[in-house]
Amino acid sequence: MTIRHSAGSYEVDFCSLGEAISRLPADSIYLTDENVEALYRKALPPSAQVLTVPAGEASKSIGQWAELQSRLAQWKAGRKTSLVAFGGGVIGDLAGFVAATYMRGVPLYQIPTTVLAQVDSSVGGKVGIDLPEGKNLVGAFYPPRTVAICTETLATLSDREFSNGMAEVWKYGFILDSALCDSIRQTGSLREPGAIDPIVRRCIELKKQVVEEDEFETKGERAKLNFGHTVGHAVEKLTGYGPVLHGEAISIGMVVEAQIGEAIGLSEPGMRATVEESLRSQGLPTTSVVLRDVDMLIETMLLDKKASGGRLAFSLLTSIGACKLVEDVPISDVRGVLERL
Ligand code: NAD
Ligand code: ZN
């Protein structure tokens, strides 16, 4: 599958991990985390140069970014040295930002190894790191040379991480493709080898359509992907980033935002029930204690980098498989929904 962008295009290849690695430039430097290294170091060439960071969001920091730049310089990496992001979304974002900035940009290859990274973060060119003041506040649009989707790597994910990524999969179905929701429901065990492959492929097709239409998130198309994220980001922040994973937070957010859609008369009645039931069947949480502090939640949403001028923007469902960006949902309506939850 080819993804077009303003400066060219790149391929998303569906292949085995062995094939993906064999196609990379021989002098590539791999960036990975400790968990992925422990599981997959043996799949890399024995002589490969590997930079390994601790697993988890904390590695998406300025400190880690600076450390990696120095390591590349010490290893005498040049402008043609390729950097391979081999891991989940944390590694994709971090390695991507390192690649975008080292010597003003070196070739980047993505081998995403979580459901979330395969269906979402590895495609679309957004890379970045966090600041103590907030997540993803420093970054760039930096497309990779290729993305290799090796679904065999998903076999080693914990059930919790697998479901976490499935939240984003359901999101694509809810906002863009009701048939995708049906195929998730009809696929018996998604963890059987190969069972998730057509679902991952469909999600990437949907993301391709959106990012090709609105690469730099200026036309409102890409912002549609934020269904569940206005509330979800606030849940992540109020729980201190960590106890509730990103997909879990947006699962909770999608339920609340489906209810907001119904409350303002945009969504068909019953939308929230369908969303909630689907996510619960996936083993995802659909509520959180932080939803009880309505003032705090609204204040946190208004402070989000995507909120502006005291207005709350939501991507809301019109039906299952269709959505609309609503940029100024009255705060009184949001409050009403939260107080009745
Ligand atoms: P992650 O990278 O932290 O991976 C989750 C956990 O799974 C980690 O502990 C990791 O070590 C482990 N892991 C990774 N691959 C594994 C495998 N194959 N087997 C076993 N364990 C494995 O988190 P994530 O959920 O993949 O990504 C979240 C990040 O993605 C966030 O930082 C978020 O901001 C970012 N993101 C970016 C975009 C984008 O467009 N750039 C979009 C969505 C999310
Ligand atoms: Zn997300």
Side-chain angles (χ1 to χ4, degrees), residues 36-272:
V36 177
E37 187 194 26
L39 289 161
Y40 294 103
R41 176 64 183 86
K42 55 187 177 302
L44 307 181
S47 60
Q49 290 185 287
V50 184
L51 291 166
T52 306
V53 301
E57 186 72 25
S59 284
K60 265 175 65 176
S61 66
I62 292 202
Q64 193 59 257
W65 169 80
E67 169 79 25
L68 291 166
Q69 301 278 348
S70 290
R71 294 282 293 280
L72 290 177
Q74 287 155 15
W75 285 5
K76 308 227 175 327
R79 287 167 65 188
K80 292 191 174 151
T81 306
S82 299
L83 204 58
V84 184
F86 183 42
V90 163
I91 293 302
D93 280 8
L94 174 65
F97 191 58
V98 169
T101 44
Y102 182 70
M103 292 196 170
R104 298 194 188 86
V106 295
L108 169 69
Y109 291 83
Q110 295 268 9
I111 307 182
T113 61
T114 61
V115 175
L116 186 139
Q118 293 191 354
V119 302
D120 191 0
S121 59
S122 63
V123 172
K126 283 191 188 177
V127 298
I129 55 176
D130 304 330
L131 291 180
E133 288 76 10
K135 269 191 64 167
N136 297 324
L137 288 182
V138 176
F141 286 96
Y142 193 68
R145 294 295 168 99
T146 62
V147 181
I149 302 293
C150 315
T151 54
E152 76 211 68
T153 60
L154 306 179
T156 48
L157 287 174
S158 65
D159 284 339
R160 187 177 176 197
E161 285 294 353
F162 190 90
S163 293
N164 180 53
M166 283 304 296
E168 299 280 3
V169 173
W170 280 104
K171 180 196 76 179
Y172 285 113
F174 294 146
I175 61 172
L176 296 169
D177 186 7
S178 63
L180 174 60
C181 295
D182 297 338
S183 40
I184 309 170
R185 288 191 192 97
Q186 283 153 15
T187 308
S189 169
L190 288 166
R191 302 222 59 179
E192 291 294 316
I196 201 176
D197 293 15
I199 290 171
V200 170
R201 184 185 284 269
R202 181 66 188 139
C203 292
I204 298 173
E205 272 169 13
L206 292 166
K207 182 137 190 195
K208 165 187 155 76
Q209 285 165 17
V210 172
V211 300
E212 286 188 344
E213 172 79 27
D214 183 16
E215 183 179 356
F216 300 115
E217 201 165 336
T218 49
K219 299 181 191 163
E221 280 307 301
R222 205 163 172 161
K224 286 184 181 168
L225 298 173
N226 287 336
F227 175 52
H229 284 61
T230 307
V231 171
H233 283 155
V235 170
E236 280 184 283
K237 189 163 190 187
L238 291 172
T239 49
Y241 295 106
V244 183
L245 302 176
H246 175 74
E248 295 171 341
I250 69 147
S251 171
I252 295 161
M254 287 191 280
V255 174
V256 177
E257 294 181 18
Q259 183 75 51
I260 293 172
E262 283 191 45
I264 66 166
L266 186 78
S267 315
E268 291 166 1
M271 204 65 34
R272 175 232 168 121

